[in-house]
């Protein structure tokens, strides 16, 4: 990239990282800055569209290796050395003490160590509990020396212990009593864990199960290599499927309805159109055991708890899959209080995907989820709405614009475009050409 020139002035407003990041490196070699961020293959594709030329006499940049220097603190060495030197001096001083005590004690016909210390002035203040009760009934220099040696060892130990308190540095191990860690330590978010997927490499998985949910709509369940494996996809992102169709590689992106809590499997709900290049000619004909190529995660959405207080969702058809992934993550997290209002549009009641699961979440978590279904052809005694998703409907069923509110859209292009215009008319900030998480209106 160091010899290529790009004009990204038209992309500044839509850059997910903000305009300042691009402005800071404008007119310079941005190779290192671009590579250190770890851009996706999608970003590489967008960048290519802004290529305008090459630099003459360009040279390759070799990034220097980082070197870490670990240096020992000189102060700690001095303290340790001083401590051992002081204690050693005290220990050596105890040796001549033994000789002196031996001469003194040899003249006594009967003595005890506590009693002998009374004669030794300054040492008489030592607590008797530190002294061995040694009796020597027959006096003599030999017996006196033995007793004095024992006495000197006891006294040296006491003095060394007392003096070590002045030379030791109080650390957490000596200053505080042992204790257990708090049980309220935050657990790592399982939805942010790396898993089986690779963002720039296609890998294959076998089809484990294929269930028909409605006409031309299937639940595909793929088996991960190990029972404890996870997909490795953040909430709100999607995977790419690639296949060779009539000699040409074709790829499409889909949002799983499973997540990292579902061990050992990857689940997708996909509508297979008869004339669809990938769905009609490939996915429809898949059989159990067939292997499919996957790559990911992809996408600008990376949901986290606290992203906002309220979310207004508008989905159509299979556009419910990314919404379902967010709904499930929010409802299954007891600490997430985000309020979701969903408008879900379909042609007929039979076309409503994942309705059983959606209704269960709405019933069990009424403070988190409220659903309003819309049908083009509703049955008799239909309890919800009929017709198109209009601005009036969104104003009555979705939260209004505010700094703590986001609107999310996914479905047929016509519905998404009409919904964006209606939301802007309601007061939401208009999104850019490329959707990013900082937008008030996010479309998948």
């Amino acid at each position: 990239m160091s010899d290529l020139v790009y004009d990204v002035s038209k992309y500044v407003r839509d850059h997910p990282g903000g305009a300042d990041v691009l402005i800071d490196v404008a007119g310079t070699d941005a190779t290192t800055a671009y590579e250190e961020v770890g851009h996706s293959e999608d970003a590489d594709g967008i960048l290519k569209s802004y290529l305008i030329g090459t630099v003459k006499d360009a040279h390759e940049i070799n990034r220097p290796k980082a070197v870490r220097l670990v240096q020992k603190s000189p102060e700690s060495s001095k303290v340790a050395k001083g401590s051992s030197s002081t204690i050693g001096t005290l220990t050596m001083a105890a040796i001549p003490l033994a000789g002196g005590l031996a001469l003194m004690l040899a003249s006594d016909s009967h003595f005890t160590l506590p009693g002998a210390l009374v004669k030794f002035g300054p040492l008489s203040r030592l607590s008797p509990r530190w002294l061995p009760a040694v009796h020597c009934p027959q006096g003599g220099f030999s017996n006196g020396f033995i007793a004095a040696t024992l006495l000197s060892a006891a006294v040296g130990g006491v003095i060394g212990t007392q003096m070590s308190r002045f030379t030791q540095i109080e650390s957490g191990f000596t200053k505080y009593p042992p204790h257990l860690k708090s049980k309220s330590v935050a657990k790592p978010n399982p939805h942010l864990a790396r898993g089986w997927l690779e963002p720039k490499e296609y890998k294959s998985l076998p089809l484990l199960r294929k269930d028909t949910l409605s006409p031309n709509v299937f639940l595909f369940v793929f088996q991960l290599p190990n029972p404890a494996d996870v997909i490795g996809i953040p909430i709100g992102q999607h995977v790419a499927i690639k296949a060779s169709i009539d000699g040409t590689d074709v790829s499409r992106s889909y949002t799983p309805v499973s997540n990292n809590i579902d061990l050992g499997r990857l689940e997708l709900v996909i509508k297979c159109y008869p004339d669809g290049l990938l769905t009609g000619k490939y996915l429809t004909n898949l059989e159990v055991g067939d292997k499919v190529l996957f790559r990911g995660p992809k996408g600008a959405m990376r949901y986290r708890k606290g992203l906002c207080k309220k979310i207004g969702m508008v989905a159509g058809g299979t556009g419910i899959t990314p919404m379902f992934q967010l709904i499930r993550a929010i409802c299954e997290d007891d600490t997430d209080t985000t309020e979701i209002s969903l408008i879900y549009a379909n042609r007929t009641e039979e076309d409503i995907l994942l309705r059983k699961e959606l209704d269960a979440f709405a019933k069990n978590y009424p403070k988190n989820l409220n659903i309003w279904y819309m049908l083009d052809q509703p049955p008799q005694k239909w309890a919800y709405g009929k017709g198109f998703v209009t601005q009036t409907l969104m104003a009555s069923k979705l939260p209004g614009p505010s700094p703590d509110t986001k609107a999310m859209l996914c479905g047929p292009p016509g519905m998404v475009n009409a919904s964006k215009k209606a939301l802007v008319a309601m007061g939401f900030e208009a999104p850019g050409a490329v959707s990013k998480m900082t937008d008030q209106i996010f479309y998948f």
Side-chain angles (χ1 to χ4, degrees):
M1 189 176 111
S2 57
D3 62 340
L4 304 179
V5 180
Y6 301 89
D7 180 7
V8 296
S9 56
K10 296 181 179 179
Y11 186 63
V12 169
R13 183 178 180 276
D14 298 321
H15 185 241
D20 293 341
V21 178
L22 298 180
I23 294 174
D24 288 343
V25 295
T28 67
D29 188 344
T31 304
T32 301
Y34 182 87
E35 291 180 350
E36 285 181 346
V37 174
H39 285 85
S40 65
E41 191 172 308
D42 292 340
D44 295 339
I46 294 174
L47 183 63
K48 290 179 181 178
S49 64
Y50 294 102
L51 178 65
I52 60 173
T54 58
V55 177
K56 185 178 180 180
D57 300 328
H59 61 280
E60 183 178 356
I61 296 178
N62 293 321
R63 196 178 303 166
K65 294 182 178 180
V67 178
R68 183 182 179 188
L69 178 62
V70 179
Q71 187 173 3
K72 186 176 180 180
S73 174
E75 287 77 7
S76 61
S77 299
K78 291 180 181 179
V79 172
K81 183 177 180 181
S83 301
S84 60
S85 177
T86 302
I87 296 173
T89 302
L90 292 172
T91 304
M92 292 298 295
I95 296 176
L97 176 64
L101 286 173
L103 293 175
M104 182 192 73
L105 298 175
S107 61
D108 285 357
S109 60
H110 183 78
F111 60 87
T112 63
L113 293 186
L117 285 180
V118 175
K119 299 180 180 181
F120 230 74
L123 297 181
S124 62
R125 290 192 298 270
L126 290 177
S127 174
R129 67 187 178 89
W130 294 100
L131 304 174
V134 177
H135 299 269
C136 187
Q138 294 183 354
F141 182 83
S142 298
N143 292 337
F145 187 84
I146 294 172
T149 301
L150 294 174
L151 175 62
S152 299
V155 172
V158 172
I159 295 175
T161 301
Q162 297 296 323
M163 291 300 296
S164 67
R165 295 181 181 179
F166 296 99
T167 59
Q168 284 182 346
I169 298 176
E170 287 190 344
S171 67
F173 295 102
T174 58
K175 189 174 182 180
Y176 301 104
H179 63 279
L180 298 177
K181 288 186 177 181
S182 172
K183 295 182 180 180
S184 61
V185 175
K187 297 181 180 179
N189 187 346
H191 300 301
L192 299 180
R194 286 291 304 273
W196 175 84
L197 283 170
E198 290 292 339
K200 293 189 176 183
E201 177 187 351
Y202 279 98
K203 300 166 69 176
S204 65
L205 286 178
L207 179 64
L208 181 65
R209 200 173 80 237
K210 178 182 176 184
D211 300 336
T212 302
L213 302 183
S214 65
N216 298 324
V217 178
F218 301 93
L219 169 65
F220 296 93
V221 181
F222 296 91
Q223 186 175 12
L224 297 177
N226 300 299
D229 285 347
V230 298
I231 307 171
I233 183 169
I235 297 300
Q237 297 198 330
H238 47 266
V239 299
I241 293 178
K242 184 176 74 171
S244 179
I245 309 297
D246 299 331
T248 303
D249 285 342
V250 178
S251 66
R252 297 287 186 271
S253 295
Y254 303 97
T255 304
V257 293
S258 59
N259 56 39
N260 284 354
I261 296 178
D262 304 311
L263 304 181
R265 65 186 189 274
L266 166 62
E267 299 181 2
L268 297 167
V269 173
I270 302 175
K271 186 170 184 176
C272 297
Y273 298 93
D275 56 347
L277 192 58
L278 184 72
T279 58
K281 294 185 177 182
Y282 178 66
L283 294 177
T284 301
N285 301 320
L286 283 179
E287 296 182 359
V288 173
D290 290 344
K291 291 188 176 182
V292 176
L293 293 174
F294 292 93
R295 179 175 66 84
K298 301 176 61 182
M301 171 57 67
R302 193 182 180 93
Y303 177 79
R304 66 182 185 280
K305 183 181 67 175
L307 177 66
C308 55
K309 293 183 179 179
K310 297 182 179 182
I311 301 176
M313 296 180 173
V314 180
T318 55
I320 190 62
T321 54
M323 308 298 189
F324 179 79
Q325 196 183 61
L326 266 72
I327 290 170
R328 180 183 171 188
I330 291 170
C331 290
E332 290 180 346
D333 185 347
D334 292 336
T335 64
D336 197 331
T337 58
T338 306
E339 299 175 14
I340 305 170
S341 300
L342 168 67
I343 297 176
Y344 184 20
N346 284 280
R347 293 185 61 190
T348 66
E349 189 173 12
E350 290 74 22
D351 294 325
I352 300 176
L353 302 177
L354 302 168
R355 184 176 183 181
K356 179 181 178 181
E357 291 80 3
L358 289 170
D359 288 344
F361 280 130
K363 178 181 178 180
N364 296 329
Y365 305 93
K367 293 184 179 180
N368 290 112
L369 178 61
N370 183 41
I371 304 175
W372 185 258
Y373 295 108
M374 292 292 293
L375 296 179
D376 292 340
Q377 304 171 14
Q380 292 183 352
K381 297 182 181 180
W382 175 242
Y384 298 94
K386 174 184 178 181
F388 297 106
V389 178
T390 63
Q391 180 179 334
T392 302
L393 176 67
M394 286 190 285
S396 64
K397 299 298 180 183
L398 303 182
S402 77
D404 292 325
T405 300
K406 286 187 179 292
M408 298 184 182
L409 311 173
C410 190
M415 187 201 76
V416 170
N417 291 332
S419 298
K420 277 194 288 186
K421 293 179 181 179
L423 289 168
V424 171
M426 290 168 56
F428 284 86
E429 297 177 3
V434 178
S435 192
K436 51 185 181 292
M437 284 189 62
T438 54
D439 292 339
Q440 268 197 318
I441 302 176
F442 184 93
Y443 52 96
F444 292 90

